[in-house]
Amino acid sequence: MKNFLKKEFPSYVISTMVAQIEDSMNEFISRVYYKDLAVEIVANDDTIDVLYGTGERKVDAINASGAEESLLALSYCYSLNSLKGFDLLLMDEVDSSLTESAAMELANMIQKIKDEYGFIGLISHVDTVKDFYEMNGANMIKMEEVKWVLILKTK
């Protein structure tokens, strides 16, 4: 996420957006996750650090677990949607580094926000996730190389 943010936006744009992105990420996480991660974005001329944690202890997002990394990335995408009004969310193997139970937890989070997008498409290799989305009305396309492409909602 840090590399993406630095490559896509110049520093002066980032400095004006940091507070909004940070607030939006924290709002998203508190709404869909069982605990707050207290995301803090620190931008300076050379780097952007994404920190999270409770109280005085903050951890760099580079050291996030697979589940935390997926949650932080999803909250960042949500933040961009909130700021810019994007209506499309595409995710490629967002659950690839997760255990099956963590992948299902992430699927539940995505299900909670699906009405905020016109279209959500994702690729998953987790069969229980595919079954969960299908039971909740997703369209599924099976592709041998990819395994599952799930379309959660279209307007």
Side-chain angles (χ1 to χ4, degrees), residues 11 20 26 48 60 63 66 68 72 75 84 117 123 143 154:
S11 294
Q20 291 174 305
N26 283 311
I48 297 168
D60 194 307
N63 299 317
E68 291 168 338
L72 289 166
S75 70
K84 297 295 182 184
Y117 292 88
I123 295 172
M143 300 173 72
T154 57

Side-chain angles (χ1 to χ4, degrees), residues 24-77:
S24 184
M25 288 176 73
N26 283 311
E27 182 272 325
F28 172 83
I29 290 168
S30 67
R31 188 173 64 155
V32 301
Y33 198 48
Y34 67 93
K35 66 178 181 178
D36 291 333
L37 292 184
V39 173
E40 180 182 338
I41 300 174
V42 180
N44 57 48
D45 291 339
D46 298 330
T47 62
I48 297 168
D49 294 317
V50 178
L51 308 172
Y52 71 98
T54 56
E56 297 293 316
R57 187 167 183 269
K58 296 280 186 180
V59 178
D60 194 307
I62 290 174
N63 299 317
S65 69
E68 291 168 338
E69 184 179 347
S70 292
L71 179 60
L72 289 166
L74 185 58
S75 70
Y76 176 69
C77 291

Side-chain angles (χ1 to χ4, degrees), residues 58 130 132:
K58 296 280 186 180
K130 185 247 341 160
F132 169 79

Side-chain angles (χ1 to χ4, degrees), residues 6 27 38 51 67 85 100 123 134 147:
K6 188 65 177 176
E27 182 272 325
L51 308 172
E100 188 171 328
I123 295 172
E134 276 191 308
K147 188 117 186 199

Side-chain angles (χ1 to χ4, degrees), residues 124-142:
S124 177
H125 293 274
V126 182
D127 289 334
T128 53
V129 167
K130 185 247 341 160
D131 294 341
F132 169 79
Y133 284 132
E134 276 191 308
M135 286 184 344
N136 284 287
N139 297 317
M140 191 263 307
I141 303 167
K142 184 171 173 67

